[in-house]
Amino acid sequence: MAGGDDKFTITVMVGSQRFTPTVDRSEEELYRKAAEYINAKIATWRNKTSKLTEIQNVSLVAYEIALELMKTREDHQEFLSGMEKLNELLDSKK
């Protein structure tokens, strides 16, 4: 690739949709794992609630992943707050 450009196009399936993002080579595996993660969740919801349409299924997956992200952010913030308190305690002992 010209100029050391380390991007290329991959093809991933998310549900029944084909996507072709251009990604850094170093992030290819991350993109593929994300698609696999979403597809596994779609399959789980499809098995639980076969009466839902594909768009409803995908919407539930998006909602579930958003909840996971929000919980992770909260946990991360709690961890950072705890680290700050620990640093303050250590600084006060100097």
Side-chain angles (χ1 to χ4, degrees):
M1 296 190 168
D5 190 3
D6 206 18
K7 291 188 180 271
F8 72 115
T9 302
I10 62 172
T11 301
V12 293
M13 292 294 293
V14 177
S16 63
Q17 300 298 308
R18 181 182 312 270
F19 295 97
T20 55
T22 300
V23 303
D24 289 331
R25 286 192 185 279
S26 62
E27 293 185 336
E28 176 186 6
E29 185 177 353
L30 180 66
Y31 277 76
R32 293 192 187 282
K33 283 183 177 181
E36 289 173 11
Y37 183 70
I38 293 168
N39 288 330
K41 288 191 168 290
I42 289 171
T44 298
W45 278 106
R46 189 178 297 128
N47 290 336
K48 285 182 185 178
T49 55
S50 61
K51 294 178 184 175
L52 299 179
T53 66
E54 183 177 2
I55 192 70
Q56 289 172 321
N57 224 346
V58 171
S59 296
L60 282 170
V61 169
Y63 183 66
E64 185 175 21
I65 291 172
L67 287 171
E68 290 173 3
L69 176 61
M70 293 177 77
K71 288 176 185 176
T72 299
R73 286 182 174 171
E74 287 177 5
D75 291 346
H76 181 74
Q77 189 56 47
E78 287 177 22
F79 174 77
L80 290 178
S81 294
M83 291 300 293
E84 287 174 8
K85 288 177 184 175
L86 183 57
N87 281 335
E88 289 171 7
L89 180 62
L90 290 172
D91 286 343
S92 71
K93 300 293 181 181
K94 289 182 180 179

Coordinates of all heavy atoms in Angstrom, one line a residue:
M1 N 0.8 -1.2 0.0 CA 0.0 0.0 0.0 C 0.9 1.2 0.0 O 1.9 1.3 0.7 CB -0.9 0.0 1.2 CG -1.9 -1.1 1.2 SD -3.1 -0.9 2.5 CE -4.3 -2.1 2.0
A2 N 0.5 2.2 -0.7 CA 1.3 3.4 -0.9 C 1.4 4.2 0.4 O 0.4 4.3 1.1 CB 0.7 4.3 -2.0
G3 N 2.5 4.8 0.6 CA 2.7 5.6 1.8 C 2.6 5.0 3.1 O 2.4 5.6 4.1
G4 N 2.7 3.7 3.2 CA 2.7 3.0 4.5 C 1.3 2.9 5.1 O 1.1 2.7 6.2
D5 N 0.3 3.2 4.2 CA -1.1 3.1 4.7 C -1.4 1.7 5.2 O -1.2 0.8 4.4 CB -2.0 3.5 3.6 CG -3.5 3.7 4.1 OD1 -3.7 3.6 5.3 OD2 -4.3 4.0 3.2
D6 N -1.8 1.6 6.4 CA -2.1 0.3 7.0 C -3.5 0.0 7.2 O -4.0 -0.7 8.1 CB -1.3 0.2 8.3 CG -1.0 -1.3 8.7 OD1 -1.0 -2.1 7.8 OD2 -0.7 -1.5 9.9
K7 N -4.4 0.6 6.3 CA -5.8 0.3 6.3 C -6.2 -0.5 5.2 O -5.6 -0.5 4.1 CB -6.5 1.7 6.3 CG -6.4 2.5 7.5 CD -7.3 3.7 7.4 CE -7.1 4.6 8.6 NZ -8.0 4.2 9.7
F8 N -7.3 -1.3 5.4 CA -7.8 -2.1 4.3 C -9.3 -2.4 4.6 O -9.7 -2.2 5.7 CB -7.0 -3.4 4.1 CG -7.1 -4.4 5.2 CD1 -7.7 -5.7 4.9 CD2 -6.7 -4.2 6.5 CE1 -7.8 -6.6 5.9 CE2 -6.8 -5.2 7.4 CZ -7.3 -6.4 7.1
T9 N -10.0 -2.9 3.6 CA -11.4 -3.2 3.8 C -11.6 -4.6 4.1 O -11.0 -5.5 3.5 CB -12.1 -2.8 2.5 OG1 -11.9 -1.4 2.2 CG2 -13.6 -3.0 2.6
I10 N -12.5 -4.8 5.1 CA -12.9 -6.2 5.5 C -14.4 -6.3 5.2 O -15.1 -5.3 5.1 CB -12.5 -6.6 6.9 CG1 -13.3 -5.7 7.9 CG2 -11.0 -6.5 7.1 CD1 -13.1 -6.1 9.4
T11 N -14.8 -7.6 5.2 CA -16.3 -7.8 5.1 C -16.7 -8.6 6.4 O -16.1 -9.6 6.7 CB -16.6 -8.7 3.9 OG1 -16.1 -7.9 2.7 CG2 -18.0 -9.0 3.8
V12 N -17.7 -8.1 7.0 CA -18.3 -8.7 8.2 C -19.8 -8.8 8.0 O -20.4 -7.9 7.4 CB -17.9 -8.0 9.5 CG1 -16.4 -8.1 9.8 CG2 -18.4 -6.6 9.5
M13 N -20.4 -9.8 8.6 CA -21.8 -10.0 8.6 C -22.3 -9.7 10.0 O -21.7 -10.2 11.0 CB -22.2 -11.4 8.2 CG -21.9 -11.8 6.8 SD -22.9 -10.9 5.6 CE -24.6 -11.5 5.9
V14 N -23.3 -8.8 10.1 CA -23.9 -8.6 11.4 C -25.4 -8.9 11.2 O -26.1 -8.1 10.4 CB -23.7 -7.1 11.9 CG1 -24.5 -6.8 13.2 CG2 -22.2 -6.8 12.1
G15 N -25.9 -9.9 11.8 CA -27.2 -10.4 11.5 C -27.2 -10.8 10.0 O -26.3 -11.6 9.6
S16 N -28.1 -10.3 9.3 CA -28.2 -10.7 7.8 C -27.6 -9.5 7.0 O -27.7 -9.6 5.7 CB -29.6 -10.9 7.4 OG -30.4 -9.7 7.6
Q17 N -26.9 -8.6 7.6 CA -26.4 -7.4 6.9 C -24.9 -7.6 6.7 O -24.2 -7.9 7.6 CB -26.7 -6.1 7.6 CG -28.1 -5.9 7.8 CD -28.9 -5.7 6.5 OE1 -28.5 -4.9 5.7 NE2 -30.0 -6.4 6.4
R18 N -24.4 -7.3 5.5 CA -23.0 -7.3 5.2 C -22.4 -5.9 5.3 O -23.0 -5.0 4.7 CB -22.8 -7.9 3.8 CG -21.4 -8.0 3.3 CD -21.2 -8.5 1.9 NE -22.0 -9.7 1.6 CZ -21.6 -10.9 1.8 NH1 -20.4 -11.2 2.2 NH2 -22.4 -11.9 1.5
F19 N -21.3 -5.8 6.0 CA -20.7 -4.5 6.1 C -19.2 -4.6 5.6 O -18.6 -5.7 5.8 CB -20.7 -4.0 7.6 CG -22.1 -3.7 8.1 CD1 -22.8 -4.7 8.8 CD2 -22.7 -2.5 7.8 CE1 -24.1 -4.4 9.3 CE2 -24.0 -2.2 8.3 CZ -24.7 -3.2 9.0
T20 N -18.7 -3.5 5.1 CA -17.4 -3.5 4.6 C -16.6 -2.3 5.1 O -16.3 -1.4 4.4 CB -17.3 -3.5 3.0 OG1 -18.1 -2.4 2.6 CG2 -17.9 -4.8 2.5
P21 N -16.3 -2.3 6.4 CA -15.6 -1.2 7.0 C -14.1 -1.2 6.5 O -13.5 -2.2 6.3 CB -15.7 -1.4 8.5 CG -15.8 -2.9 8.6 CD -16.6 -3.3 7.4
T22 N -13.5 0.0 6.5 CA -12.1 0.1 6.2 C -11.5 0.3 7.6 O -11.8 1.2 8.4 CB -11.8 1.4 5.3 OG1 -12.4 1.2 4.1 CG2 -10.3 1.5 5.1
V23 N -10.5 -0.6 7.9 CA -10.0 -0.6 9.3 C -8.5 -0.7 9.3 O -7.9 -1.0 8.3 CB -10.5 -1.9 10.1 CG1 -12.0 -1.9 10.1 CG2 -10.0 -3.2 9.4
D24 N -7.9 -0.3 10.4 CA -6.4 -0.5 10.6 C -6.2 -2.0 10.7 O -6.9 -2.7 11.3 CB -5.9 0.2 11.8 CG -5.9 1.7 11.7 OD1 -5.8 2.2 10.6 OD2 -6.0 2.3 12.8
R25 N -5.1 -2.5 10.1 CA -4.8 -3.9 10.2 C -4.7 -4.3 11.6 O -5.1 -5.4 12.0 CB -3.5 -4.2 9.5 CG -3.6 -4.1 8.0 CD -2.4 -4.7 7.3 NE -2.5 -4.6 5.8 CZ -3.2 -5.4 5.1 NH1 -3.8 -6.4 5.6 NH2 -3.3 -5.1 3.8
S26 N -4.2 -3.5 12.5 CA -4.0 -3.8 13.9 C -5.4 -4.0 14.6 O -5.4 -4.6 15.7 CB -3.2 -2.8 14.6 OG -3.9 -1.5 14.6
E27 N -6.5 -3.5 14.0 CA -7.8 -3.6 14.6 C -8.7 -4.6 13.9 O -9.9 -4.8 14.3 CB -8.4 -2.2 14.7 CG -7.7 -1.3 15.6 CD -8.5 0.0 15.7 OE1 -9.3 0.4 14.8 OE2 -8.3 0.7 16.7
E28 N -8.2 -5.3 12.9 CA -9.1 -6.2 12.2 C -9.7 -7.3 13.1 O -10.9 -7.5 13.0 CB -8.3 -7.0 11.1 CG -9.1 -8.0 10.4 CD -8.3 -8.8 9.4 OE1 -7.0 -8.7 9.3 OE2 -8.9 -9.7 8.7
E29 N -8.9 -7.9 14.0 CA -9.5 -8.9 14.8 C -10.5 -8.4 15.7 O -11.6 -9.0 16.0 CB -8.3 -9.6 15.7 CG -8.8 -10.7 16.5 CD -7.7 -11.4 17.3 OE1 -6.5 -11.1 17.1 OE2 -8.0 -12.3 18.1
L30 N -10.4 -7.2 16.2 CA -11.4 -6.5 17.1 C -12.7 -6.3 16.3 O -13.8 -6.7 16.9 CB -10.8 -5.1 17.6 CG -11.8 -4.3 18.5 CD1 -11.9 -5.0 19.8 CD2 -11.2 -3.0 18.7
Y31 N -12.6 -5.9 15.1 CA -13.8 -5.7 14.3 C -14.5 -7.1 14.1 O -15.8 -7.2 14.2 CB -13.5 -5.1 13.0 CG -13.4 -3.6 13.1 CD1 -12.3 -3.0 13.6 CD2 -14.5 -2.8 12.6 CE1 -12.2 -1.6 13.7 CE2 -14.4 -1.4 12.7 CZ -13.2 -0.8 13.2 OH -13.2 0.6 13.3
R32 N -13.8 -8.1 13.8 CA -14.3 -9.4 13.5 C -15.0 -10.0 14.8 O -16.0 -10.6 14.8 CB -13.3 -10.4 12.9 CG -12.9 -9.9 11.5 CD -12.1 -11.0 10.8 NE -11.5 -10.5 9.6 CZ -12.2 -10.4 8.4 NH1 -13.5 -10.7 8.4 NH2 -11.6 -9.9 7.3
K33 N -14.3 -9.8 15.9 CA -14.8 -10.3 17.2 C -16.1 -9.6 17.6 O -17.0 -10.2 18.2 CB -13.7 -10.2 18.3 CG -12.7 -11.2 18.3 CD -11.7 -11.1 19.4 CE -10.7 -12.2 19.4 NZ -9.7 -12.1 20.5
A34 N -16.1 -8.3 17.3 CA -17.3 -7.5 17.6 C -18.5 -8.1 16.8 O -19.6 -8.2 17.4 CB -17.1 -6.0 17.3
A35 N -18.3 -8.4 15.5 CA -19.4 -8.9 14.7 C -19.8 -10.3 15.3 O -21.0 -10.6 15.4 CB -18.9 -9.1 13.3
E36 N -18.8 -11.1 15.7 CA -19.2 -12.4 16.3 C -19.9 -12.3 17.6 O -20.9 -13.0 17.8 CB -17.9 -13.2 16.6 CG -17.2 -13.7 15.3 CD -15.8 -14.3 15.6 OE1 -15.5 -14.6 16.8 OE2 -15.0 -14.5 14.7
Y37 N -19.6 -11.3 18.4 CA -20.2 -11.0 19.6 C -21.7 -10.7 19.4 O -22.6 -11.2 20.0 CB -19.5 -9.9 20.4 CG -20.0 -9.6 21.7 CD1 -19.8 -10.4 22.8 CD2 -20.6 -8.3 22.0 CE1 -20.3 -10.1 24.1 CE2 -21.1 -8.0 23.2 CZ -20.9 -8.9 24.3 OH -21.4 -8.6 25.5
I38 N -21.9 -9.7 18.5 CA -23.3 -9.3 18.1 C -24.1 -10.5 17.6 O -25.2 -10.7 18.0 CB -23.2 -8.1 17.1 CG1 -22.6 -6.9 17.8 CG2 -24.6 -7.9 16.6 CD1 -22.3 -5.8 16.8
N39 N -23.5 -11.2 16.7 CA -24.2 -12.4 16.1 C -24.6 -13.4 17.1 O -25.6 -14.0 17.1 CB -23.4 -13.0 15.0 CG -23.4 -12.1 13.7 OD1 -24.3 -11.3 13.5 ND2 -22.3 -12.1 13.0
A40 N -23.7 -13.6 18.1 CA -24.0 -14.6 19.2 C -25.2 -14.1 20.0 O -26.1 -14.9 20.4 CB -22.8 -14.8 20.1
K41 N -25.2 -12.8 20.3 CA -26.4 -12.2 21.0 C -27.7 -12.3 20.2 O -28.7 -12.6 20.7 CB -26.1 -10.8 21.4 CG -25.0 -10.7 22.6 CD -24.9 -9.4 23.1 CE -24.2 -9.3 24.4 NZ -24.8 -10.0 25.5
I42 N -27.6 -12.0 18.9 CA -28.7 -12.1 18.0 C -29.3 -13.6 18.1 O -30.5 -13.8 18.2 CB -28.4 -11.7 16.6 CG1 -28.2 -10.2 16.5 CG2 -29.5 -12.1 15.6 CD1 -27.6 -9.7 15.2
A43 N -28.4 -14.5 18.0 CA -28.8 -16.0 18.0 C -29.5 -16.3 19.3 O -30.5 -17.0 19.4 CB -27.6 -16.9 17.8
T44 N -28.9 -15.8 20.4 CA -29.5 -16.0 21.8 C -30.9 -15.5 21.8 O -31.9 -16.2 22.3 CB -28.6 -15.4 22.9 OG1 -27.4 -16.0 22.8 CG2 -29.3 -15.6 24.2
W45 N -31.1 -14.2 21.4 CA -32.4 -13.6 21.4 C -33.4 -14.4 20.5 O -34.6 -14.6 20.8 CB -32.4 -12.1 21.1 CG -32.1 -11.3 22.3 CD1 -30.9 -10.7 22.5 CD2 -32.9 -11.0 23.4 NE1 -30.9 -10.1 23.7 CE2 -32.2 -10.2 24.3 CE3 -34.2 -11.4 23.7 CZ2 -32.7 -9.8 25.5 CZ3 -34.7 -10.9 24.9 CH2 -34.0 -10.1 25.8
R46 N -32.9 -14.8 19.3 CA -33.7 -15.5 18.3 C -34.2 -16.8 18.9 O -35.3 -17.2 18.8 CB -32.9 -15.8 17.1 CG -33.7 -16.3 15.9 CD -32.9 -16.6 14.7 NE -32.4 -15.3 14.2 CZ -31.1 -15.1 13.9 NH1 -30.2 -16.0 14.0 NH2 -30.7 -13.9 13.4
N47 N -33.3 -17.5 19.7 CA -33.7 -18.7 20.3 C -34.7 -18.5 21.5 O -35.6 -19.3 21.7 CB -32.5 -19.5 20.9 CG -31.6 -20.0 19.8 OD1 -32.1 -20.2 18.6 ND2 -30.4 -20.2 20.0
K48 N -34.6 -17.4 22.2 CA -35.5 -17.1 23.3 C -36.9 -16.6 22.8 O -37.9 -17.0 23.4 CB -34.9 -15.9 24.2 CG -33.8 -16.3 25.0 CD -33.4 -15.1 25.8 CE -32.1 -15.4 26.7 NZ -31.7 -14.2 27.4
T49 N -36.9 -15.8 21.8 CA -38.1 -15.2 21.4 C -38.3 -15.3 19.8 O -38.0 -14.3 19.1 CB -38.2 -13.7 21.8 OG1 -37.0 -13.1 21.3 CG2 -38.2 -13.5 23.3
S50 N -38.7 -16.4 19.4 CA -38.7 -16.6 17.9 C -39.8 -15.8 17.2 O -39.9 -15.7 16.0 CB -38.9 -18.1 17.6 OG -40.2 -18.6 18.2
K51 N -40.7 -15.2 18.0 CA -41.8 -14.4 17.4 C -41.4 -13.0 17.0 O -42.1 -12.3 16.3 CB -43.0 -14.3 18.4 CG -43.6 -15.7 18.6 CD -44.7 -15.6 19.7 CE -45.2 -16.9 20.0 NZ -46.2 -16.9 21.0
L52 N -40.2 -12.6 17.4 CA -39.8 -11.2 17.0 C -39.2 -11.2 15.6 O -38.7 -12.1 15.1 CB -38.7 -10.8 18.0 CG -39.1 -10.7 19.5 CD1 -37.9 -10.3 20.3 CD2 -40.2 -9.8 19.7
T53 N -39.4 -10.0 15.0 CA -38.8 -9.7 13.7 C -37.3 -9.6 13.9 O -36.8 -9.3 15.0 CB -39.4 -8.5 13.1 OG1 -39.0 -7.3 13.9 CG2 -40.9 -8.5 13.0
E54 N -36.5 -9.6 12.8 CA -35.1 -9.4 12.8 C -34.7 -8.0 13.4 O -33.9 -7.9 14.2 CB -34.5 -9.6 11.5 CG -32.9 -9.4 11.5 CD -32.2 -9.7 10.2 OE1 -32.9 -9.9 9.2 OE2 -31.0 -9.6 10.2
I55 N -35.5 -7.0 13.0 CA -35.2 -5.6 13.5 C -35.4 -5.5 15.0 O -34.7 -4.9 15.7 CB -35.9 -4.5 12.7 CG1 -35.4 -3.2 13.0 CG2 -37.4 -4.6 12.9 CD1 -34.0 -2.9 12.5
Q56 N -36.5 -6.2 15.5 CA -36.7 -6.2 16.9 C -35.6 -7.0 17.6 O -35.2 -6.5 18.7 CB -38.1 -6.9 17.2 CG -39.3 -6.1 16.8 CD -40.6 -6.8 16.9 OE1 -40.6 -8.0 16.6 NE2 -41.6 -6.1 17.3
N57 N -35.2 -8.1 17.1 CA -34.1 -8.8 17.6 C -32.8 -8.0 17.7 O -32.1 -7.9 18.8 CB -33.8 -10.1 16.7 CG -33.6 -11.3 17.5 OD1 -33.4 -11.3 18.7 ND2 -33.7 -12.4 16.8
V58 N -32.5 -7.3 16.6 CA -31.3 -6.5 16.6 C -31.4 -5.3 17.6 O -30.4 -4.9 18.2 CB -31.0 -6.0 15.2 CG1 -29.8 -5.0 15.1 CG2 -30.6 -7.2 14.3
S59 N -32.6 -4.8 17.7 CA -32.8 -3.7 18.6 C -32.6 -4.1 20.1 O -32.0 -3.4 20.8 CB -34.3 -3.1 18.5 OG -34.4 -2.6 17.2
L60 N -33.1 -5.3 20.4 CA -32.8 -5.9 21.7 C -31.3 -6.1 22.0 O -30.9 -5.8 23.1 CB -33.6 -7.2 21.9 CG -35.1 -7.1 22.2 CD1 -35.7 -8.4 22.1 CD2 -35.3 -6.4 23.5
V61 N -30.6 -6.5 21.0 CA -29.2 -6.7 21.1 C -28.5 -5.4 21.3 O -27.6 -5.2 22.2 CB -28.6 -7.5 19.9 CG1 -27.1 -7.4 19.9 CG2 -29.1 -8.9 19.9
A62 N -28.9 -4.4 20.6 CA -28.3 -3.0 20.7 C -28.6 -2.5 22.1 O -27.7 -1.9 22.8 CB -28.9 -2.1 19.7
Y63 N -29.8 -2.7 22.6 CA -30.1 -2.3 24.0 C -29.3 -3.0 25.0 O -28.8 -2.4 25.9 CB -31.6 -2.5 24.2 CG -32.2 -2.1 25.5 CD1 -32.2 -0.7 25.9 CD2 -32.6 -3.0 26.4 CE1 -32.7 -0.3 27.1 CE2 -33.1 -2.6 27.7 CZ -33.2 -1.2 28.0 OH -33.7 -0.8 29.2
E64 N -29.2 -4.3 24.9 CA -28.4 -5.1 25.8 C -26.9 -4.7 25.8 O -26.3 -4.5 26.9 CB -28.5 -6.6 25.4 CG -27.8 -7.5 26.4 CD -28.1 -9.0 26.0 OE1 -28.4 -9.3 24.9 OE2 -27.9 -9.8 26.9
I65 N -26.3 -4.4 24.6 CA -24.9 -4.0 24.6 C -24.8 -2.6 25.2 O -23.8 -2.3 25.8 CB -24.4 -4.1 23.1 CG1 -24.3 -5.6 22.7 CG2 -23.1 -3.4 23.0 CD1 -24.0 -5.8 21.3
A66 N -25.8 -1.7 24.9 CA -25.7 -0.4 25.5 C -25.7 -0.5 27.1 O -25.0 0.3 27.7 CB -26.9 0.5 25.0
L67 N -26.5 -1.3 27.6 CA -26.6 -1.5 29.1 C -25.2 -2.1 29.6 O -24.7 -1.6 30.6 CB -27.7 -2.5 29.4 CG -29.1 -2.0 29.3 CD1 -30.1 -3.1 29.5 CD2 -29.3 -0.9 30.4
E68 N -24.6 -3.0 28.8 CA -23.3 -3.5 29.2 C -22.3 -2.4 29.2 O -21.5 -2.3 30.2 CB -22.9 -4.6 28.3 CG -23.6 -5.9 28.3 CD -23.3 -6.9 27.3 OE1 -22.3 -6.6 26.4 OE2 -23.9 -8.0 27.2
L69 N -22.3 -1.5 28.2 CA -21.4 -0.4 28.1 C -21.6 0.5 29.3 O -20.6 1.0 29.9 CB -21.6 0.3 26.8 CG -20.7 1.6 26.6 CD1 -19.2 1.2 26.6 CD2 -21.1 2.2 25.3
M70 N -22.8 0.9 29.6 CA -23.1 1.8 30.7 C -22.6 1.2 32.0 O -22.0 1.9 32.8 CB -24.6 2.1 30.7 CG -25.0 2.9 29.5 SD -26.8 3.3 29.5 CE -26.8 4.6 30.7
K71 N -22.8 -0.1 32.3 CA -22.4 -0.7 33.5 C -20.9 -0.7 33.6 O -20.3 -0.5 34.6 CB -22.9 -2.1 33.6 CG -24.4 -2.2 33.9 CD -24.9 -3.7 33.9 CE -26.4 -3.7 34.1 NZ -26.9 -5.1 34.0
T72 N -20.2 -1.0 32.4 CA -18.8 -1.0 32.4 C -18.2 0.4 32.7 O -17.2 0.6 33.4 CB -18.3 -1.4 31.0 OG1 -18.7 -2.8 30.8 CG2 -16.7 -1.4 30.9
R73 N -18.8 1.4 32.1 CA -18.4 2.8 32.4 C -18.6 3.2 33.9 O -17.7 3.8 34.5 CB -19.2 3.8 31.5 CG -18.8 3.8 30.1 CD -19.5 4.8 29.3 NE -19.0 4.9 27.9 CZ -19.6 5.6 27.0 NH1 -20.7 6.2 27.2 NH2 -19.1 5.6 25.8
E74 N -19.7 2.7 34.5 CA -19.9 3.0 35.9 C -18.9 2.3 36.7 O -18.3 2.9 37.7 CB -21.3 2.5 36.3 CG -22.4 3.4 35.8 CD -23.8 2.9 36.2 OE1 -23.9 1.9 36.9 OE2 -24.8 3.5 35.8
D75 N -18.6 1.0 36.4 CA -17.6 0.3 37.1 C -16.2 0.9 37.0 O -15.4 1.0 37.9 CB -17.5 -1.2 36.6 CG -18.7 -2.0 37.0 OD1 -19.5 -1.6 37.8 OD2 -18.8 -3.1 36.4
H76 N -15.9 1.4 35.8 CA -14.6 2.1 35.5 C -14.5 3.4 36.3 O -13.5 3.6 36.9 CB -14.5 2.4 34.0 CG -13.3 3.1 33.6 ND1 -12.1 2.4 33.5 CD2 -13.0 4.4 33.3 CE1 -11.1 3.3 33.2 NE2 -11.7 4.5 33.0
Q77 N -15.6 4.1 36.4 CA -15.6 5.4 37.2 C -15.5 5.1 38.7 O -14.7 5.8 39.4 CB -16.9 6.2 36.9 CG -16.9 7.5 37.5 CD -15.7 8.4 37.0 OE1 -15.4 8.4 35.9 NE2 -15.0 9.0 38.0
E78 N -16.1 4.0 39.2 CA -16.0 3.6 40.6 C -14.5 3.2 40.8 O -13.9 3.6 41.9 CB -16.9 2.5 40.9 CG -18.3 2.9 41.0 CD -19.2 1.7 41.3 OE1 -18.8 0.6 41.8 OE2 -20.4 1.8 41.0
F79 N -13.9 2.5 39.9 CA -12.5 2.1 40.1 C -11.6 3.4 40.1 O -10.7 3.5 41.0 CB -12.1 1.2 38.9 CG -10.6 0.9 38.9 CD1 -10.1 -0.1 39.8 CD2 -9.8 1.5 38.0 CE1 -8.8 -0.4 39.8 CE2 -8.4 1.2 38.0 CZ -7.9 0.2 38.9
L80 N -11.8 4.3 39.2 CA -11.0 5.5 39.2 C -11.2 6.3 40.5 O -10.2 6.9 41.0 CB -11.3 6.4 38.0 CG -10.9 5.8 36.6 CD1 -11.3 6.8 35.5 CD2 -9.4 5.6 36.6
S81 N -12.4 6.4 40.9 CA -12.7 7.2 42.2 C -11.9 6.5 43.3 O -11.4 7.2 44.2 CB -14.2 7.2 42.5 OG -14.8 8.0 41.5
G82 N -12.0 5.2 43.4 CA -11.3 4.4 44.4 C -9.8 4.7 44.4 O -9.1 4.8 45.4
M83 N -9.2 4.7 43.1 CA -7.8 4.9 43.0 C -7.4 6.3 43.4 O -6.4 6.6 44.1 CB -7.4 4.7 41.5 CG -7.5 3.3 41.1 SD -6.4 2.2 42.0 CE -4.8 2.8 41.5
E84 N -8.3 7.3 43.1 CA -8.0 8.7 43.6 C -8.0 8.8 45.1 O -7.2 9.4 45.7 CB -9.1 9.6 43.0 CG -8.9 9.9 41.5 CD -10.0 10.7 40.9 OE1 -10.9 11.2 41.7 OE2 -10.1 10.9 39.6
K85 N -9.0 8.1 45.7 CA -9.0 8.1 47.2 C -7.8 7.5 47.8 O -7.2 8.0 48.8 CB -10.3 7.4 47.7 CG -11.6 8.2 47.4 CD -12.8 7.5 47.9 CE -14.0 8.3 47.5 NZ -15.3 7.6 47.8
L86 N -7.4 6.4 47.2 CA -6.2 5.7 47.6 C -4.9 6.6 47.5 O -4.1 6.7 48.4 CB -6.0 4.4 46.9 CG -4.8 3.5 47.3 CD1 -4.9 3.1 48.8 CD2 -4.8 2.2 46.4
N87 N -4.8 7.3 46.3 CA -3.7 8.2 46.1 C -3.7 9.3 47.1 O -2.7 9.7 47.7 CB -3.8 8.7 44.7 CG -3.2 7.8 43.7 OD1 -2.4 6.9 44.0 ND2 -3.7 7.9 42.4
E88 N -4.9 9.9 47.4 CA -5.0 10.9 48.4 C -4.6 10.4 49.8 O -3.9 11.1 50.5 CB -6.5 11.4 48.5 CG -6.9 12.2 47.3 CD -8.3 12.6 47.3 OE1 -9.1 12.3 48.3 OE2 -8.8 13.1 46.2
L89 N -5.0 9.2 50.1 CA -4.6 8.6 51.4 C -3.1 8.4 51.5 O -2.5 8.7 52.5 CB -5.3 7.3 51.6 CG -5.0 6.5 52.9 CD1 -5.4 7.4 54.1 CD2 -5.7 5.2 52.9
L90 N -2.5 7.9 50.4 CA -1.1 7.7 50.4 C -0.3 9.0 50.4 O 0.7 9.1 51.1 CB -0.7 6.9 49.1 CG -1.1 5.5 49.1 CD1 -0.8 4.9 47.7 CD2 -0.4 4.7 50.1
D91 N -0.8 10.1 49.7 CA -0.2 11.4 49.8 C -0.3 12.0 51.2 O 0.7 12.7 51.6 CB -0.9 12.3 48.8 CG -0.5 12.0 47.3 OD1 0.5 11.3 47.1 OD2 -1.2 12.5 46.4
S92 N -1.4 11.7 51.9 CA -1.5 12.3 53.2 C -0.6 11.6 54.2 O -0.3 12.2 55.3 CB -2.9 12.2 53.7 OG -3.3 10.9 54.0
K93 N -0.1 10.4 53.9 CA 0.8 9.7 54.8 C 2.3 10.1 54.6 O 3.1 9.7 55.4 CB 0.7 8.2 54.6 CG -0.7 7.6 54.8 CD -1.1 7.7 56.3 CE -2.5 7.1 56.5 NZ -2.9 7.2 57.9
K94 N 2.6 10.9 53.6 CA 3.9 11.3 53.3 C 4.5 12.3 54.3 O 3.9 13.1 54.8 CB 4.1 11.8 51.9 CG 3.9 10.7 50.8 CD 4.1 11.3 49.5 CE 4.0 10.2 48.4 NZ 4.1 10.7 47.1

